[in-house]
Amino acid sequence: MKIGVLCYPTHGGSGVVASELAIGMAQRGHEVHIVSYTTPFRLRVFHQNVFMHEVGVANYPLFKYPPYALGLATKLVELVETYQIELIHAHYAIPHAASAYLAKQILDNKGIKTVTTLHGTDITLVGADLSFHRVIKFTIERSDGVTAVSQYLRQRTIEEFDIHREIRVIYNFVDADRPEQNRNSCNRESYAPQGEKILMHASNFRPVKRLGDVIRIFARVQELIPAKLILVGDGPERLYVQQLVKEMKLSDSVYFLGEQDHLEPLFFCADLFLLPSEQESFGLTALEAMNCGVPVIATETGGLPEVIEHGRTGYLFPIGETKKMAETATLLLSDLDKHELFKKQAREHAVHTFNADQIIPQYEAFYEEVLQR
Ligand code: GMT
């Protein structure tokens, strides 16, 4: 197949899924054309059969807001005509699915099919903003195929947008072989010289991630056992978090690593991953942690219960229950046998249920099905 992929290039789950899927499809012999405003970070190294096309948008003084969605549609039309792309996969409804729809109309359909994958924030946050509601509903209804990354997100989309068409659930996935390549790449002692336990959180530091709760959980754990916290990522809450860490006198115990392209090396330093989000349609970072044998403490919100098995691969709590999360984290980290068991179960669950080898063929089969419709 010749596939066009529209995605955000930033350090977010949707960009990671789009990039890893593109690599997986390319390895299976398909030709993949990525269209974005810059190269997604996971695609900065060469991959056979993956082609990158940057969208440039003219910025005239008249444009208060550069019309990216139109630049994207124009680029798509050009690419479809040049490379005979058969299927456009839009990751995120706004603006990608809308641009794909427009390109298809400009091309007078010509047998081109569009698939939209809903990742979560397009539905739960952007979708909740009424200014986009009608466009999101329209793009979901007019895509030739729609997928969602969890049952939760599928149901939420149906209810919020009154959708009566099929939405296929295809879970996020991980490369089960990758942890092996990173097993010895993190030097634990550089973060925990006295043998402290290491907790970790990674995100885009948006309010929805509840970074304040991450710090409060860690502060309580640290009162009970020697511990350090590794924070990966960057975003609007970073200054607030840095201030909070200072105020709580935790500066010597918290490492701010900024954005990192690959988390696997760091997971091999971590004993526990924290994801106390307000909302999470899937929680890819939790899955990536589990793939490296790191149990997760998270909230029982959104799609997280579909990813983390409470009492087996981690624990789930109501949003904001930081005290209980901290106490449970401490108990788990203090019981070496139980911790080992959770690590093993986390890895097994990731490998058995969310393995790229099983999930990528689901996308491939879905593409084929859509092309034949
Ligand atoms: O987590 C974020 O805020 C980034 C966001 C994105 O759009 O890249 O992630 C969403 O998509 C990921 C991949 O499908 C999911 O694993 C995340 O749970 C989802 N984020 C939210 O629902 C908040």
Side-chain angles (χ1 to χ4, degrees):
M1 281 179 263
K2 292 190 176 201
I3 306 153
V5 174
L6 310 186
C7 67
Y8 285 110
T10 45
H11 288 82
S14 64
V16 171
V17 172
S19 303
E20 297 291 346
L21 178 59
I23 296 167
M25 294 301 286
Q27 283 168 350
R28 298 172 81 83
H30 304 291
E31 186 177 304
V32 185
H33 295 265
I34 309 285
V35 194
S36 193
Y37 53 82
T38 189
T39 305
F41 69 97
R42 290 265 171 110
L43 296 174
R44 284 188 206 136
V45 288
F46 170 73
H47 293 278
Q48 195 81 44
N49 284 345
V50 178
F51 302 85
M52 180 64 216
H53 307 274
E54 276 190 27
V55 182
V57 180
N59 197 359
Y60 300 110
L62 185 65
F63 297 155
K64 186 170 172 199
Y65 306 106
Y68 179 66
L70 301 184
L72 199 53
T74 311
K75 188 77 174 178
L76 267 178
V77 170
E78 180 194 313
L79 292 176
V80 167
E81 286 178 340
T82 310
Y83 299 100
Q84 290 81 50
I85 288 169
E86 308 155 80
L87 182 135
I88 300 168
H89 188 167
H91 291 266
Y92 223 87
I94 296 283
H96 300 146
S99 299
Y101 175 80
L102 179 57
K104 191 173 157 176
Q105 296 310 304
I106 294 170
L107 290 158
D108 222 0
N109 287 323
K110 286 211 186 108
I112 294 147
K113 301 287 181 180
T114 59
V115 167
T116 299
T117 289
L118 306 170
H119 283 276
T121 36
D122 40 359
I123 298 305
T124 54
L125 300 179
V126 183
D129 183 334
L130 285 183
S131 53
F132 291 122
H133 197 276
R134 289 293 297 272
V135 178
I136 295 177
K137 179 172 164 62
F138 180 83
T139 55
I140 292 170
E141 283 167 345
R142 298 302 175 96
S143 295
D144 296 300
V146 179
T147 74
V149 297
S150 62
Q151 295 291 351
Y152 160 81
L153 185 61
R154 175 183 173 275
Q155 198 50 37
R156 177 93 192 256
T157 307
I158 290 171
E159 285 161 15
E160 204 132 311
F161 293 90
D162 188 26
I163 300 296
H164 298 275
R165 60 160 305 152
E166 188 215 3
I167 298 179
R168 183 82 51 94
V169 174
I170 304 183
Y171 283 134
N172 285 176
F173 56 89
V174 277
D175 179 344
D177 298 331
R178 200 171 293 152
E180 266 320 306
Q181 299 151 19
N182 292 283
R183 189 161 290 284
N184 300 315
S185 45
C186 183
N187 178 9
R188 240 192 111 91
E189 273 145 45
S190 63
Y191 297 111
Q194 313 296 329
E196 297 93 335
K197 298 292 179 191
I198 300 180
L199 285 75
M200 180 175 158
H201 168 82
S203 74
N204 51 19
F205 282 42
R206 294 189 190 277
V208 71
K209 303 292 175 182
R210 294 182 71 97
L211 265 294
D213 282 4
V214 173
I215 305 303
R216 282 184 280 276
I217 296 166
F218 173 68
R220 180 74 186 125
V221 170
Q222 210 218 19
E223 282 168 10
L224 302 168
I225 52 171
K228 299 279 185 181
L229 175 65
I230 293 178
L231 291 177
V232 183
D234 206 343
E237 299 269 276
R238 184 171 48 84
L239 289 180
Y240 154 72
V241 182
Q242 282 174 333
Q243 188 59 31
L244 189 63
V245 166
K246 228 190 224 168
E247 280 167 21
M248 295 179 85
K249 304 203 175 356
L250 293 169
S251 299
D252 290 344
S253 305
V254 180
Y255 299 97
F256 286 87
L257 301 197
E259 288 182 340
Q260 300 285 330
D261 287 358
H262 291 282
L263 298 177
E264 280 92 358
L266 287 161
F267 284 136
F268 282 103
C269 268
D271 298 302
L272 192 64
F273 189 74
L274 302 177
L275 195 62
S277 306
E278 181 92 34
Q279 180 58 254
E280 205 67 66
S281 68
F282 183 90
L284 180 61
T285 46
L287 173 61
E288 290 179 321
M290 284 164 38
N291 190 36
C292 295
V294 183
V296 183
I297 291 215
T299 38
E300 57 192 12
T301 185
L304 287 170
E306 293 172 59
V307 183
I308 300 156
E309 294 175 302
H310 180 73
R312 276 198 90 246
T313 64
Y315 291 99
L316 299 165
F317 291 93
I319 296 162
E321 293 263 8
T322 55
K323 200 161 168 277
K324 281 197 186 132
M325 292 184 198
E327 281 158 10
T328 306
T330 307
L331 284 176
L332 182 62
L333 292 171
S334 309
D335 183 337
L336 294 189
D337 289 343
K338 193 171 186 183
H339 187 231
E340 269 314 308
L341 181 65
F342 269 54
K343 284 169 65 136
K344 188 170 153 278
Q345 288 170 172
R347 164 75 180 159
E348 280 170 4
H349 187 49
V351 172
H352 290 146
T353 316
F354 304 103
N355 195 333
D357 289 350
Q358 294 158 25
I359 308 281
I360 291 177
Q362 290 178 25
Y363 274 111
E364 191 180 35
F366 190 62
Y367 288 173
E368 278 162 2
E369 198 183 309
V370 167
L371 280 172
Q372 273 156 29
R373 272 179 202 164

